[in-house]
Amino acid sequence: MHRLVGWDRGRALFRGDVAAGADPVASSDDLLGRVTSVERGGRRVRMGLGIERLPIAWLSRVGLLRAVARLRERLRLRAR
């Protein structure tokens, strides 16, 4: 799943959270569905729909989201 980041002349622009750049454009006919929730290990995962979406988007644009995610995971494992 990749995030919809905009539209250009009726074509969808997508980008993965840890991708270096945008995906090729897609027509609306190429869209298969819409993700409304995500679960990991039986727990619901928030998808950045609140105010946290701003730093998530910025980290993704500057290419740091993957590093932050790895650091967060290391800290979570260390806390166990």
Side-chain angles (χ1 to χ4, degrees), residues 24-66:
V25 294
S27 74
S28 59
D29 293 336
D30 294 328
L31 304 180
L32 298 175
R34 178 181 185 161
V35 175
T36 58
S37 67
V38 175
E39 287 186 16
R40 286 192 187 122
R43 296 180 65 188
R44 187 171 178 169
V45 176
R46 290 192 50 162
M47 296 191 301
L49 300 177
I51 191 68
E52 67 274 9
R53 75 185 185 282
L54 299 174
I56 289 170
W58 180 80
L59 288 168
S60 178
R61 283 193 185 105
V62 298
L64 293 175
L65 192 60
R66 182 180 299 187

Side-chain angles (χ1 to χ4, degrees), residues 7-12:
W7 291 92
D8 179 27
R9 291 173 264 172
R11 297 177 299 174

